[in-house]
Amino acid sequence: MSDHSDSPLISHLLELRTRLMRAVAAVLVVFLALIYFANDIYSLLAQPLIEKMPEGATMIATDVASPLLTPMKLTMVLSVMIAIPVILYQVWAFIAPGLYRHERRLVLPLLVSSSLLFYLGVAFAYFVVFPLIFGFFTTIAPTGVQVATDIASYLDFVLALFMAFGIAFEVPIAIILLCWTGATSVDSLREKRPYILVLAFVIGMVLTPPDVVSQTLLAVPMYLLFEAGLWCAQLYSKAPTRADVDAEQSSDE
C-alpha cells in the first residue's frame, strides 16, 4: 500500500531531477562555449565605463586572482542568462501536466514574455543607463582623484544594475497576474496611478546607485511598463470560476 502511494511522489521527484539536470547541462554547455572568450566578454562589458574615463586612465585589479576569477564569474552569469529560455522550458515542462487548459494558455505566454522583458531590461541598462551614469560619475570626481575602478567592484556594480532593470521590466507580467487572479482590477490600478508613480521613484531610489540620473532612468520605464501592463491585462479574461474549472476538467476526462 505504501509503495503504491509513494510512487507518484517518487516519479515527480525523478522528473524534477531530470529537469534540473537538463537546465544545469544547458548552462554548462553555454559556459564551456564562452569561457575561451571570457576576457573579451569582460572588455565588452567594461566598454561603457572605459569610454567615459579620463584619457590615460585604466581599470585596475586589486586582488591577485581578480584577472582570472572576475571574467569567469561574468561568463557564468552570462551563461545562465543565455540559458534562461531552456531553464524556463524545463519549468514549463514540469508544471504543465498539472495545469488546466486555461492555465496553460496563460502560463506559457507569460514565461516567454518574462524572459524577453528581462533581456530588454538588461539591454536598456547597458545601452542607455550605463553611458549616462558612468559619464556622470567620472565627471564629479574631486580634483586630484584619479578614476581607476577595480574590475571586481565594477562587475558587482553592473550585475546589480542588470538585475534591478531586468526585474523592473517584469512589471507588466506582475500586473497581468494580479488582474487575472482577481487580486486587483485594471480600473482599480488606474485610480492608483499617482501612487504608482511615486512608488516607481522610491523603487528606483532603493535599487540604483544614489544619483538622480539612474533613479529616474529606472523609475520612468517602470511607470511606462505599468501602463503597458494595464493594457495587456485587458487582453486576459478574468480567472475562471470554480464551475468553469470543473466543466473543463470534466471535458478533459
Side-chain angles (χ1 to χ4, degrees):
M1 177 71 70
S2 60
D3 293 341
H4 178 72
S5 62
D6 290 343
S7 59
L9 175 60
I10 294 175
S11 64
H12 280 83
L13 291 176
L14 292 175
E15 175 72 9
L16 177 61
R17 185 188 67 174
T18 301
R19 298 298 175 185
L20 289 175
M21 290 178 63
R22 290 177 180 176
V24 172
V27 174
L28 290 178
V29 168
V30 177
F31 177 77
L32 293 176
L34 296 179
I35 189 61
Y36 178 78
F37 308 99
N39 289 338
D40 296 328
I41 295 172
Y42 189 90
S43 298
L44 183 63
L45 181 70
Q47 198 62 34
L49 175 60
I50 293 175
E51 291 178 350
K52 302 297 182 180
M53 294 177 72
E55 186 177 354
T58 62
M59 300 184 72
I60 61 174
T62 57
D63 186 61
V64 176
S66 288
L68 172 66
L69 297 182
T70 302
M72 288 184 63
K73 177 182 177 180
L74 171 61
T75 305
M76 176 57 71
V77 174
L78 180 62
S79 300
V80 174
M81 294 174 60
I82 293 176
I84 281 178
V86 178
I87 296 173
L88 290 180
Y89 173 77
Q90 298 303 323
V91 173
W92 164 254
F94 179 72
I95 67 175
L99 299 177
Y100 293 113
R101 195 184 315 136
H102 69 274
E103 292 173 330
R104 296 192 198 106
R105 288 197 298 266
L106 173 70
V107 172
L108 183 57
L110 290 183
L111 288 177
V112 174
S113 58
S114 63
S115 59
L116 293 178
L117 285 171
F118 183 84
Y119 289 145
L120 183 61
V122 171
F124 181 82
Y126 181 82
F127 291 106
V128 179
V129 178
F130 286 2
L132 292 175
I133 64 174
F134 293 147
F136 173 74
F137 286 157
T138 54
T139 56
I140 63 171
T143 303
V145 176
Q146 182 180 0
V147 178
T149 304
D150 176 65
I151 60 174
S153 299
Y154 174 78
L155 178 60
D156 293 338
F157 177 82
V158 298
L159 289 182
L161 282 180
F162 279 156
M163 289 301 298
F165 279 86
I167 294 174
F169 271 58
E170 301 290 337
V171 168
I173 305 299
I175 298 298
I176 291 172
L177 289 175
L178 288 173
C179 294
W180 185 80
T181 56
T184 186
S185 65
V186 174
D187 293 335
S188 175
L189 289 175
R190 282 174 177 165
E191 295 174 356
K192 296 179 175 63
R193 275 176 172 147
Y195 305 103
I196 298 297
L197 182 60
V198 173
L199 179 62
F201 276 92
V202 171
I203 295 175
M205 180 180 62
V206 172
L207 295 183
T208 60
D211 67 279
V212 177
V213 177
S214 57
Q215 292 171 9
T216 303
L217 287 174
L218 179 59
V220 172
M222 280 185 64
Y223 181 76
L224 295 177
L225 288 167
F226 165 76
E227 294 290 343
L230 291 181
W231 182 81
C232 293
Q234 300 178 53
L235 303 179
Y236 282 88
S237 59
K238 185 181 177 182
T241 62
R242 184 64 203 175
D244 296 332
V245 174
D246 291 340
E248 181 180 321
Q249 187 177 16
S250 300
S251 64
D252 290 340
E253 293 175 352

